[in-house]
Amino acid sequence: MQGKNISDIIEKYLKEMIAEDERVEISRSDIASHFDVVPSQINYVIKTRFTIQNGYVVESKRGGGGYIRIEKVKLLDNIDILDTLINAIGDGLTQREGKAIINTLVLNDLITDNEADLVLASINKQTLAVGNKLLENEIRANIMVAILDHLRYKS
């Protein structure tokens, strides 16, 4: 696994577990022990790689009987997930976050590869270059929310 950092390795391991059941319940400390890392490393991987934008819902319970439940969701099967995604976008969206959402839409067959390319072009840094990063992120968020709203009400 030369060239991969520990976060990539942990992500791959968790995704392989999820591929078997589409839902996995893990103990943060058990996974940390397995990879000989601190539990905060597991938190980092889950917080950055298993987001709603990437098509995952994460539920966490801390304490003695604590767990982390990660579930791969099908966006079309659950309109509430689109609503959650819209709420997660908020007032601003980076290009990287936008790409993650678009990738999730393609993986869930909500948009085609060609449609994804068009959306990517519309939210690109160069396309939205108005000289104000906060404004660019706000415009990008507005574009993505409009697209998600359209998908939500599409029959």
Side-chain angles (χ1 to χ4, degrees), residues 68-95:
I68 298 174
R69 184 177 298 136
I70 307 170
E71 184 174 357
K72 180 78 173 146
V73 292
K74 297 269 189 214
L75 297 183
L76 194 57
D77 293 344
N78 192 342
I79 297 301
D80 291 341
I81 298 298
L82 287 175
D83 291 335
T84 303
L85 196 51
I86 289 169
N87 289 331
I89 290 172
D91 295 333
L93 186 72
T94 66
Q95 182 174 333

PDB file of all heavy atoms in Angstrom, residues 68-95:
ATOM      1  N   ILE A  68     -20.247   3.692  16.429  1.00  0.00           N
ATOM      2  CA  ILE A  68     -20.424   4.544  15.254  1.00  0.00           C
ATOM      3  C   ILE A  68     -21.103   3.680  14.210  1.00  0.00           C
ATOM      4  O   ILE A  68     -20.623   2.596  13.878  1.00  0.00           O
ATOM      5  CB  ILE A  68     -19.080   5.066  14.705  1.00  0.00           C
ATOM      6  CG1 ILE A  68     -18.384   5.931  15.745  1.00  0.00           C
ATOM      7  CG2 ILE A  68     -19.305   5.860  13.419  1.00  0.00           C
ATOM      8  CD1 ILE A  68     -17.000   6.372  15.333  1.00  0.00           C
ATOM      9  N   ARG A  69     -22.235   4.140  13.730  1.00  0.00           N
ATOM     10  CA  ARG A  69     -22.964   3.423  12.688  1.00  0.00           C
ATOM     11  C   ARG A  69     -22.814   4.233  11.398  1.00  0.00           C
ATOM     12  O   ARG A  69     -23.143   5.413  11.370  1.00  0.00           O
ATOM     13  CB  ARG A  69     -24.432   3.290  13.077  1.00  0.00           C
ATOM     14  CG  ARG A  69     -25.234   2.462  12.083  1.00  0.00           C
ATOM     15  CD  ARG A  69     -26.677   2.291  12.548  1.00  0.00           C
ATOM     16  NE  ARG A  69     -26.719   1.583  13.824  1.00  0.00           N
ATOM     17  CZ  ARG A  69     -27.492   1.931  14.849  1.00  0.00           C
ATOM     18  NH1 ARG A  69     -28.283   2.960  14.773  1.00  0.00           N
ATOM     19  NH2 ARG A  69     -27.474   1.225  15.963  1.00  0.00           N
ATOM     20  N   ILE A  70     -22.331   3.585  10.357  1.00  0.00           N
ATOM     21  CA  ILE A  70     -22.171   4.225   9.055  1.00  0.00           C
ATOM     22  C   ILE A  70     -23.045   3.478   8.069  1.00  0.00           C
ATOM     23  O   ILE A  70     -22.968   2.250   7.969  1.00  0.00           O
ATOM     24  CB  ILE A  70     -20.706   4.181   8.570  1.00  0.00           C
ATOM     25  CG1 ILE A  70     -19.760   4.752   9.621  1.00  0.00           C
ATOM     26  CG2 ILE A  70     -20.550   4.937   7.245  1.00  0.00           C
ATOM     27  CD1 ILE A  70     -18.295   4.522   9.320  1.00  0.00           C
ATOM     28  N   GLU A  71     -23.846   4.231   7.335  1.00  0.00           N
ATOM     29  CA  GLU A  71     -24.763   3.612   6.390  1.00  0.00           C
ATOM     30  C   GLU A  71     -24.629   4.295   5.036  1.00  0.00           C
ATOM     31  O   GLU A  71     -24.652   5.511   4.935  1.00  0.00           O
ATOM     32  CB  GLU A  71     -26.200   3.739   6.898  1.00  0.00           C
ATOM     33  CG  GLU A  71     -27.211   3.055   6.034  1.00  0.00           C
ATOM     34  CD  GLU A  71     -28.603   3.087   6.658  1.00  0.00           C
ATOM     35  OE1 GLU A  71     -28.761   3.588   7.782  1.00  0.00           O
ATOM     36  OE2 GLU A  71     -29.531   2.599   5.999  1.00  0.00           O
ATOM     37  N   LYS A  72     -24.475   3.498   4.005  1.00  0.00           N
ATOM     38  CA  LYS A  72     -24.483   3.995   2.628  1.00  0.00           C
ATOM     39  C   LYS A  72     -25.937   4.152   2.239  1.00  0.00           C
ATOM     40  O   LYS A  72     -26.736   3.237   2.398  1.00  0.00           O
ATOM     41  CB  LYS A  72     -23.786   2.990   1.704  1.00  0.00           C
ATOM     42  CG  LYS A  72     -23.743   3.401   0.261  1.00  0.00           C
ATOM     43  CD  LYS A  72     -22.672   4.420   0.038  1.00  0.00           C
ATOM     44  CE  LYS A  72     -22.518   4.691  -1.451  1.00  0.00           C
ATOM     45  NZ  LYS A  72     -22.181   6.062  -1.714  1.00  0.00           N
ATOM     46  N   VAL A  73     -26.294   5.344   1.769  1.00  0.00           N
ATOM     47  CA  VAL A  73     -27.699   5.595   1.456  1.00  0.00           C
ATOM     48  C   VAL A  73     -27.897   5.753  -0.045  1.00  0.00           C
ATOM     49  O   VAL A  73     -27.022   6.207  -0.763  1.00  0.00           O
ATOM     50  CB  VAL A  73     -28.227   6.858   2.182  1.00  0.00           C
ATOM     51  CG1 VAL A  73     -28.282   6.621   3.678  1.00  0.00           C
ATOM     52  CG2 VAL A  73     -27.409   8.078   1.857  1.00  0.00           C
ATOM     53  N   LYS A  74     -29.053   5.321  -0.477  1.00  0.00           N
ATOM     54  CA  LYS A  74     -29.495   5.519  -1.857  1.00  0.00           C
ATOM     55  C   LYS A  74     -30.342   6.777  -1.846  1.00  0.00           C
ATOM     56  O   LYS A  74     -31.398   6.816  -1.217  1.00  0.00           O
ATOM     57  CB  LYS A  74     -30.325   4.327  -2.343  1.00  0.00           C
ATOM     58  CG  LYS A  74     -29.560   3.039  -2.382  1.00  0.00           C
ATOM     59  CD  LYS A  74     -28.934   2.869  -3.722  1.00  0.00           C
ATOM     60  CE  LYS A  74     -28.348   1.478  -3.813  1.00  0.00           C
ATOM     61  NZ  LYS A  74     -27.173   1.430  -4.578  1.00  0.00           N
ATOM     62  N   LEU A  75     -29.892   7.795  -2.527  1.00  0.00           N
ATOM     63  CA  LEU A  75     -30.581   9.080  -2.464  1.00  0.00           C
ATOM     64  C   LEU A  75     -31.993   9.004  -3.023  1.00  0.00           C
ATOM     65  O   LEU A  75     -32.908   9.610  -2.490  1.00  0.00           O
ATOM     66  CB  LEU A  75     -29.771  10.146  -3.207  1.00  0.00           C
ATOM     67  CG  LEU A  75     -28.394  10.444  -2.614  1.00  0.00           C
ATOM     68  CD1 LEU A  75     -27.724  11.558  -3.393  1.00  0.00           C
ATOM     69  CD2 LEU A  75     -28.483  10.799  -1.157  1.00  0.00           C
ATOM     70  N   LEU A  76     -32.192   8.259  -4.095  1.00  0.00           N
ATOM     71  CA  LEU A  76     -33.504   8.200  -4.723  1.00  0.00           C
ATOM     72  C   LEU A  76     -34.531   7.517  -3.822  1.00  0.00           C
ATOM     73  O   LEU A  76     -35.701   7.868  -3.843  1.00  0.00           O
ATOM     74  CB  LEU A  76     -33.409   7.460  -6.062  1.00  0.00           C
ATOM     75  CG  LEU A  76     -34.589   7.587  -6.992  1.00  0.00           C
ATOM     76  CD1 LEU A  76     -34.880   9.032  -7.322  1.00  0.00           C
ATOM     77  CD2 LEU A  76     -34.358   6.797  -8.260  1.00  0.00           C
ATOM     78  N   ASP A  77     -34.073   6.576  -3.020  1.00  0.00           N
ATOM     79  CA  ASP A  77     -34.975   5.845  -2.140  1.00  0.00           C
ATOM     80  C   ASP A  77     -35.430   6.678  -0.945  1.00  0.00           C
ATOM     81  O   ASP A  77     -36.379   6.317  -0.277  1.00  0.00           O
ATOM     82  CB  ASP A  77     -34.304   4.571  -1.609  1.00  0.00           C
ATOM     83  CG  ASP A  77     -34.058   3.560  -2.714  1.00  0.00           C
ATOM     84  OD1 ASP A  77     -34.663   3.702  -3.788  1.00  0.00           O
ATOM     85  OD2 ASP A  77     -33.252   2.645  -2.493  1.00  0.00           O
ATOM     86  N   ASN A  78     -34.739   7.760  -0.671  1.00  0.00           N
ATOM     87  CA  ASN A  78     -35.039   8.510   0.533  1.00  0.00           C
ATOM     88  C   ASN A  78     -34.931  10.003   0.265  1.00  0.00           C
ATOM     89  O   ASN A  78     -33.853  10.572   0.314  1.00  0.00           O
ATOM     90  CB  ASN A  78     -34.085   8.089   1.654  1.00  0.00           C
ATOM     91  CG  ASN A  78     -34.523   8.608   2.995  1.00  0.00           C
ATOM     92  OD1 ASN A  78     -35.321   9.531   3.081  1.00  0.00           O
ATOM     93  ND2 ASN A  78     -33.989   8.025   4.042  1.00  0.00           N
ATOM     94  N   ILE A  79     -36.069  10.622  -0.011  1.00  0.00           N
ATOM     95  CA  ILE A  79     -36.109  12.056  -0.296  1.00  0.00           C
ATOM     96  C   ILE A  79     -35.593  12.848   0.893  1.00  0.00           C
ATOM     97  O   ILE A  79     -35.008  13.918   0.731  1.00  0.00           O
ATOM     98  CB  ILE A  79     -37.545  12.490  -0.689  1.00  0.00           C
ATOM     99  CG1 ILE A  79     -37.990  11.790  -1.972  1.00  0.00           C
ATOM    100  CG2 ILE A  79     -37.642  13.990  -0.845  1.00  0.00           C
ATOM    101  CD1 ILE A  79     -37.139  12.034  -3.181  1.00  0.00           C
ATOM    102  N   ASP A  80     -35.773  12.329   2.105  1.00  0.00           N
ATOM    103  CA  ASP A  80     -35.260  13.020   3.287  1.00  0.00           C
ATOM    104  C   ASP A  80     -33.750  13.225   3.207  1.00  0.00           C
ATOM    105  O   ASP A  80     -33.228  14.203   3.737  1.00  0.00           O
ATOM    106  CB  ASP A  80     -35.601  12.240   4.560  1.00  0.00           C
ATOM    107  CG  ASP A  80     -37.091  12.249   4.867  1.00  0.00           C
ATOM    108  OD1 ASP A  80     -37.802  13.131   4.334  1.00  0.00           O
ATOM    109  OD2 ASP A  80     -37.533  11.383   5.631  1.00  0.00           O
ATOM    110  N   ILE A  81     -33.056  12.297   2.553  1.00  0.00           N
ATOM    111  CA  ILE A  81     -31.607  12.430   2.406  1.00  0.00           C
ATOM    112  C   ILE A  81     -31.289  13.641   1.539  1.00  0.00           C
ATOM    113  O   ILE A  81     -30.347  14.389   1.822  1.00  0.00           O
ATOM    114  CB  ILE A  81     -30.978  11.141   1.816  1.00  0.00           C
ATOM    115  CG1 ILE A  81     -31.211   9.965   2.760  1.00  0.00           C
ATOM    116  CG2 ILE A  81     -29.504  11.332   1.549  1.00  0.00           C
ATOM    117  CD1 ILE A  81     -30.595  10.107   4.133  1.00  0.00           C
ATOM    118  N   LEU A  82     -32.064  13.864   0.474  1.00  0.00           N
ATOM    119  CA  LEU A  82     -31.848  15.060  -0.347  1.00  0.00           C
ATOM    120  C   LEU A  82     -32.072  16.312   0.490  1.00  0.00           C
ATOM    121  O   LEU A  82     -31.316  17.276   0.377  1.00  0.00           O
ATOM    122  CB  LEU A  82     -32.764  15.049  -1.573  1.00  0.00           C
ATOM    123  CG  LEU A  82     -32.400  14.063  -2.681  1.00  0.00           C
ATOM    124  CD1 LEU A  82     -33.470  14.073  -3.773  1.00  0.00           C
ATOM    125  CD2 LEU A  82     -31.042  14.361  -3.260  1.00  0.00           C
ATOM    126  N   ASP A  83     -33.088  16.297   1.332  1.00  0.00           N
ATOM    127  CA  ASP A  83     -33.330  17.439   2.222  1.00  0.00           C
ATOM    128  C   ASP A  83     -32.154  17.648   3.175  1.00  0.00           C
ATOM    129  O   ASP A  83     -31.724  18.776   3.401  1.00  0.00           O
ATOM    130  CB  ASP A  83     -34.620  17.234   3.026  1.00  0.00           C
ATOM    131  CG  ASP A  83     -35.869  17.300   2.165  1.00  0.00           C
ATOM    132  OD1 ASP A  83     -35.825  17.947   1.099  1.00  0.00           O
ATOM    133  OD2 ASP A  83     -36.882  16.692   2.550  1.00  0.00           O
ATOM    134  N   THR A  84     -31.647  16.556   3.721  1.00  0.00           N
ATOM    135  CA  THR A  84     -30.501  16.638   4.622  1.00  0.00           C
ATOM    136  C   THR A  84     -29.286  17.188   3.887  1.00  0.00           C
ATOM    137  O   THR A  84     -28.541  18.007   4.422  1.00  0.00           O
ATOM    138  CB  THR A  84     -30.178  15.248   5.216  1.00  0.00           C
ATOM    139  OG1 THR A  84     -31.332  14.761   5.886  1.00  0.00           O
ATOM    140  CG2 THR A  84     -29.001  15.302   6.163  1.00  0.00           C
ATOM    141  N   LEU A  85     -29.106  16.753   2.663  1.00  0.00           N
ATOM    142  CA  LEU A  85     -28.001  17.230   1.845  1.00  0.00           C
ATOM    143  C   LEU A  85     -28.129  18.726   1.592  1.00  0.00           C
ATOM    144  O   LEU A  85     -27.154  19.469   1.707  1.00  0.00           O
ATOM    145  CB  LEU A  85     -27.987  16.452   0.530  1.00  0.00           C
ATOM    146  CG  LEU A  85     -26.763  16.487  -0.344  1.00  0.00           C
ATOM    147  CD1 LEU A  85     -25.511  16.162   0.422  1.00  0.00           C
ATOM    148  CD2 LEU A  85     -26.932  15.507  -1.492  1.00  0.00           C
ATOM    149  N   ILE A  86     -29.337  19.167   1.277  1.00  0.00           N
ATOM    150  CA  ILE A  86     -29.578  20.595   1.056  1.00  0.00           C
ATOM    151  C   ILE A  86     -29.265  21.389   2.324  1.00  0.00           C
ATOM    152  O   ILE A  86     -28.596  22.421   2.273  1.00  0.00           O
ATOM    153  CB  ILE A  86     -31.032  20.839   0.582  1.00  0.00           C
ATOM    154  CG1 ILE A  86     -31.193  20.330  -0.857  1.00  0.00           C
ATOM    155  CG2 ILE A  86     -31.401  22.316   0.682  1.00  0.00           C
ATOM    156  CD1 ILE A  86     -32.626  20.263  -1.358  1.00  0.00           C
ATOM    157  N   ASN A  87     -29.712  20.880   3.463  1.00  0.00           N
ATOM    158  CA  ASN A  87     -29.424  21.555   4.731  1.00  0.00           C
ATOM    159  C   ASN A  87     -27.936  21.569   5.043  1.00  0.00           C
ATOM    160  O   ASN A  87     -27.426  22.538   5.598  1.00  0.00           O
ATOM    161  CB  ASN A  87     -30.201  20.911   5.877  1.00  0.00           C
ATOM    162  CG  ASN A  87     -31.678  21.192   5.805  1.00  0.00           C
ATOM    163  OD1 ASN A  87     -32.105  22.216   5.283  1.00  0.00           O
ATOM    164  ND2 ASN A  87     -32.476  20.288   6.327  1.00  0.00           N
ATOM    165  N   ALA A  88     -27.231  20.502   4.674  1.00  0.00           N
ATOM    166  CA  ALA A  88     -25.792  20.428   4.933  1.00  0.00           C
ATOM    167  C   ALA A  88     -25.022  21.448   4.095  1.00  0.00           C
ATOM    168  O   ALA A  88     -23.973  21.928   4.518  1.00  0.00           O
ATOM    169  CB  ALA A  88     -25.277  19.021   4.645  1.00  0.00           C
ATOM    170  N   ILE A  89     -25.542  21.792   2.936  1.00  0.00           N
ATOM    171  CA  ILE A  89     -24.870  22.775   2.078  1.00  0.00           C
ATOM    172  C   ILE A  89     -24.867  24.136   2.754  1.00  0.00           C
ATOM    173  O   ILE A  89     -23.855  24.827   2.752  1.00  0.00           O
ATOM    174  CB  ILE A  89     -25.552  22.842   0.689  1.00  0.00           C
ATOM    175  CG1 ILE A  89     -25.253  21.552  -0.077  1.00  0.00           C
ATOM    176  CG2 ILE A  89     -25.076  24.063  -0.094  1.00  0.00           C
ATOM    177  CD1 ILE A  89     -26.019  21.409  -1.374  1.00  0.00           C
ATOM    178  N   GLY A  90     -25.990  24.502   3.330  1.00  0.00           N
ATOM    179  CA  GLY A  90     -26.052  25.779   4.027  1.00  0.00           C
ATOM    180  C   GLY A  90     -25.852  26.955   3.086  1.00  0.00           C
ATOM    181  O   GLY A  90     -26.332  26.950   1.955  1.00  0.00           O
ATOM    182  N   ASP A  91     -25.104  27.955   3.561  1.00  0.00           N
ATOM    183  CA  ASP A  91     -24.910  29.196   2.808  1.00  0.00           C
ATOM    184  C   ASP A  91     -23.690  29.181   1.897  1.00  0.00           C
ATOM    185  O   ASP A  91     -23.492  30.114   1.121  1.00  0.00           O
ATOM    186  CB  ASP A  91     -24.785  30.381   3.772  1.00  0.00           C
ATOM    187  CG  ASP A  91     -26.063  30.625   4.546  1.00  0.00           C
ATOM    188  OD1 ASP A  91     -27.141  30.278   4.030  1.00  0.00           O
ATOM    189  OD2 ASP A  91     -25.977  31.158   5.665  1.00  0.00           O
ATOM    190  N   GLY A  92     -22.871  28.164   2.011  1.00  0.00           N
ATOM    191  CA  GLY A  92     -21.660  28.122   1.199  1.00  0.00           C
ATOM    192  C   GLY A  92     -21.226  26.706   0.912  1.00  0.00           C
ATOM    193  O   GLY A  92     -21.489  25.791   1.690  1.00  0.00           O
ATOM    194  N   LEU A  93     -20.566  26.541  -0.233  1.00  0.00           N
ATOM    195  CA  LEU A  93     -20.116  25.216  -0.660  1.00  0.00           C
ATOM    196  C   LEU A  93     -18.800  25.375  -1.406  1.00  0.00           C
ATOM    197  O   LEU A  93     -18.707  26.151  -2.359  1.00  0.00           O
ATOM    198  CB  LEU A  93     -21.174  24.596  -1.587  1.00  0.00           C
ATOM    199  CG  LEU A  93     -20.972  23.159  -2.031  1.00  0.00           C
ATOM    200  CD1 LEU A  93     -21.216  22.206  -0.859  1.00  0.00           C
ATOM    201  CD2 LEU A  93     -21.918  22.824  -3.173  1.00  0.00           C
ATOM    202  N   THR A  94     -17.786  24.642  -0.974  1.00  0.00           N
ATOM    203  CA  THR A  94     -16.514  24.682  -1.680  1.00  0.00           C
ATOM    204  C   THR A  94     -16.598  23.846  -2.952  1.00  0.00           C
ATOM    205  O   THR A  94     -17.502  23.004  -3.096  1.00  0.00           O
ATOM    206  CB  THR A  94     -15.362  24.136  -0.815  1.00  0.00           C
ATOM    207  OG1 THR A  94     -15.588  22.738  -0.587  1.00  0.00           O
ATOM    208  CG2 THR A  94     -15.242  24.884   0.505  1.00  0.00           C
ATOM    209  N   GLN A  95     -15.663  24.049  -3.843  1.00  0.00           N
ATOM    210  CA  GLN A  95     -15.648  23.260  -5.074  1.00  0.00           C
ATOM    211  C   GLN A  95     -15.470  21.780  -4.747  1.00  0.00           C
ATOM    212  O   GLN A  95     -16.131  20.928  -5.330  1.00  0.00           O
ATOM    213  CB  GLN A  95     -14.541  23.736  -6.013  1.00  0.00           C
ATOM    214  CG  GLN A  95     -14.514  22.966  -7.322  1.00  0.00           C
ATOM    215  CD  GLN A  95     -13.518  23.530  -8.322  1.00  0.00           C
ATOM    216  OE1 GLN A  95     -13.205  24.691  -8.300  1.00  0.00           O
ATOM    217  NE2 GLN A  95     -13.031  22.684  -9.194  1.00  0.00           N
TER     218      GLN A  95
END
